[in-house]
Amino acid sequence: TENFVGHQVLRIVPSSDAELQKVRELQELEHLELDFWLSPRGLGDPVDIRVPFPSLQPLKAHLEANGVPYSIMIEDVQALVDLEQMQMLRRRR
Amino acid sequence: FVPRSTSTFDYTSYHTLEEIYAFMDLLVAENPNLVSKLEIGHTTENRPIYVLKFSKGGTNRPAIWIDTGIHSREWVTQASGVWFAKKIVQEQDQGLANILDQMDIFLEIVTNPDGFAFTHTSNRMWRKTRSKHSGSLCVGVDPNRNWDAGFGGSGASSNPCSETYRGPYANSEPEVKAIVDFVKNHGNIKAFISIHSYSQLLLYPYGYTTTAVPDKEELHQVAKEAVAALSSLYGTNYKYGSIITTIYQASGGTIDWTYNQGIKYSFTFELRDTGRYGFLLPASQIVPTAQETWKALEVIMAHTRGHLY
């Protein structure tokens, strides 16, 4: 089973065309293995990206270097997945 | 793990494929005069693809199609589909009497069974089908890019490793082909509603072209009324509009194909996330999500029945 230990979901809300373009360029960086939960749409529309642990620091550095603000929507993806599984098992019992 | 009846089924929890299929059999057994289970095909991994039919009789009556779970990781949609199935039975002589007296309802709860099973066993974040196409190590096709509507255009990927891989050709995925064949054979479906999550949107065609659909005004008005009904319950904010103007260009999409088949009332929902959990929406939000979505579905179904064509 795939685990998501250390994965985070970052939320970016592009407020300018330059920021939107920077976010769109992230989709080409395949080596970061980013999972776009919400793809870039328009200004003001949130872009949610699940980021594997090894890519977290490089991506955050890249965003900060380019002046693209972001927030952390989910600090620990695996913790939420574990909670979901536990709830299912508990309800089943 | 099979509950004794659909009244004791736990709608406030997520369930496995087996539990959902067991629920469907229970619902059919409890309501033999209203509900039947159709098998419309088999998946890549040879799982049956089931559709629930809600009908008070007649033959090939005008119908409404609702599907959930085409993207397997969007768990709140399959869970809402289970809730909708029970709601249709509960409302058959009340809120839905008017509709069921004249129309049938088809509900496909698990539209991507292989992907859904995979989210439970191997990768909670899996979105696509589980098909394997020669020449690539990567698995799966985005079933919402595989339809014969602008197939292969911008807004889908030709890279098999991409989450929006369109597939080697239109209808390459048995999960898509099964619906295509069903819709064509039935020939009398008047509304087609495909339910995704997340981002709180109600969308209508087109996604593959900026050309406005001929029925844009009417679809926009119906979407407006449906969103107003949805938001009236818990205040969940939705946007609405055509796919390409509201989100982005997406080719090979389900409702573009259904609209081009002549099914005027073609809509896609992107259910709630309330801005915090994305695809990992807590199970406590299943029922509120299903309830608010139902209010919108009622508007679309009532409009369809009142404007049969």
Side-chain angles (χ1 to χ4, degrees):
Chain A
T1 302
E2 185 98 10
N3 83 55
F4 305 98
V5 174
H7 293 215
Q8 291 189 334
V9 176
L10 302 189
R11 169 160 285 194
I12 301 168
V13 184
S15 58
S16 69
D17 289 329
E19 284 182 18
L20 190 55
Q21 183 50 34
K22 283 293 173 203
V23 177
R24 285 207 168 106
E25 286 164 7
L26 294 177
Q27 291 182 294
E28 308 311 319
L29 306 179
E30 289 188 8
H31 63 286
L32 291 178
E33 292 188 10
L34 303 178
D35 177 13
F36 281 80
W37 281 15
L38 288 186
S39 297
R41 292 178 274 169
L43 299 186
D45 289 324
V47 178
D48 293 346
I49 312 170
R50 175 173 61 86
V51 186
F53 179 67
S55 304
L56 264 182
Q57 282 321 315
L59 176 62
K60 288 178 178 177
H62 176 82
L63 293 172
E64 284 152 20
N66 285 278
V68 179
Y70 65 86
S71 61
I72 299 175
M73 182 171 110
I74 297 178
E75 287 273 355
D76 183 342
V77 173
Q78 189 58 45
L80 273 187
V81 172
D82 291 343
L83 178 64
E84 191 178 65
Q85 283 300 319
M86 189 176 60
Q87 282 178 335
M88 281 177 70
L89 288 174
R90 192 187 312 133
R91 301 309 285 262
R92 198 168 296 154
R93 273 200 295 277
Chain B
F1 170 71
V2 180
R4 288 181 304 283
S5 91
T6 58
S7 302
T8 56
F9 188 84
D10 185 356
Y11 297 93
T12 65
S13 178
Y14 289 116
H15 291 278
T16 64
L17 180 68
E18 294 72 22
E19 288 167 348
I20 293 176
Y21 279 6
F23 162 83
M24 289 163 67
D25 289 337
L26 265 180
L27 195 73
V28 170
E30 291 168 358
N31 305 277
N33 299 324
L34 175 67
V35 195
S36 53
K37 182 177 83 172
L38 314 176
E39 184 173 314
I40 66 169
H42 277 78
T43 67
T44 295
E45 294 174 345
N46 209 29
R47 288 185 174 89
I49 301 171
Y50 292 130
V51 172
L52 289 178
K53 177 181 181 182
F54 301 83
S55 177
K56 286 189 172 178
T59 17
N60 206 254
R61 302 199 303 175
I64 293 162
W65 169 282
I66 301 169
D67 68 61
T68 53
I70 195 166
H71 286 144
S72 36
R73 65 181 172 184
E74 300 168 9
W75 278 15
V76 71
T77 69
Q78 297 96 336
S80 297
V82 168
W83 189 91
F84 296 151
K86 181 64 175 174
K87 187 69 174 175
I88 293 169
V89 166
Q90 289 168 330
E91 293 289 316
Q92 61 179 298
D93 298 321
Q94 281 85 39
L96 283 183
N98 221 3
I99 289 165
L100 286 169
D101 284 349
Q102 195 167 347
M103 303 181 80
D104 293 341
I105 297 175
F106 292 99
L107 172 61
E108 184 177 6
I109 296 174
V110 188
T111 306
N112 176 5
D114 292 350
F116 187 59
F118 198 70
T119 60
H120 281 273
T121 58
S122 310
N123 182 344
R124 171 67 180 81
M125 290 303 148
W126 191 261
R127 159 190 167 97
K128 302 192 283 183
T129 64
R130 291 294 300 160
S131 59
K132 297 163 186 66
H133 295 282
S134 57
S136 171
L137 285 176
C138 290
V139 172
V141 167
D142 181 345
N144 197 31
R145 297 295 188 281
N146 188 240
W147 299 71
D148 195 8
F151 177 81
S154 304
S157 171
S158 57
N159 173 1
C161 300
S162 165
E163 290 291 0
T164 57
Y165 176 46
R166 55 169 154 76
Y169 52 88
N171 302 335
S172 63
E173 303 311 288
E175 296 81 358
V176 170
K177 185 73 167 52
I179 301 172
V180 167
D181 292 344
F182 181 86
V183 166
K184 285 184 172 177
N185 294 335
H186 186 280
N188 202 13
I189 292 176
K190 300 300 180 186
F192 194 105
I193 303 157
S194 190
I195 298 181
H196 294 242
S197 77
Y198 62 97
S199 62
Q200 293 164 206
L201 299 169
L202 179 50
L203 304 168
Y204 51 82
Y206 284 118
Y208 70 86
T209 174
T210 51
T211 307
V213 289
D215 300 297
K216 175 185 167 55
E217 273 63 42
E218 185 182 2
L219 296 184
H220 198 79
Q221 183 57 32
V222 172
K224 180 179 180 182
E225 291 165 16
V227 162
L230 184 152
S231 302
S232 69
L233 203 55
Y234 298 111
T236 306
N237 281 318
Y238 263 62
K239 287 185 188 173
Y240 56 93
S242 74
I243 297 167
I244 197 163
T245 58
T246 311
I247 43 175
Y248 40 60
Q249 185 168 23
S251 62
T254 309
I255 63 167
D256 284 354
W257 181 80
T258 58
Y259 183 84
N260 286 344
Q261 287 301 302
I263 302 176
K264 184 198 304 190
Y265 303 116
S266 290
F267 292 96
T268 284
F269 279 84
E270 292 281 353
L271 301 187
R272 68 160 71 172
D273 60 295
T274 60
R276 174 72 186 80
Y277 297 99
F279 297 121
L280 292 168
L281 194 69
S284 59
Q285 292 199 36
I286 293 171
V287 172
T289 302
Q291 287 172 329
E292 67 187 10
T293 310
W294 181 256
K295 304 286 283 181
L297 290 174
E298 283 181 316
V299 169
I300 295 170
M301 293 193 286
H303 183 89
T304 302
R305 185 196 171 283
H307 300 78
L308 285 179
Y309 53 95

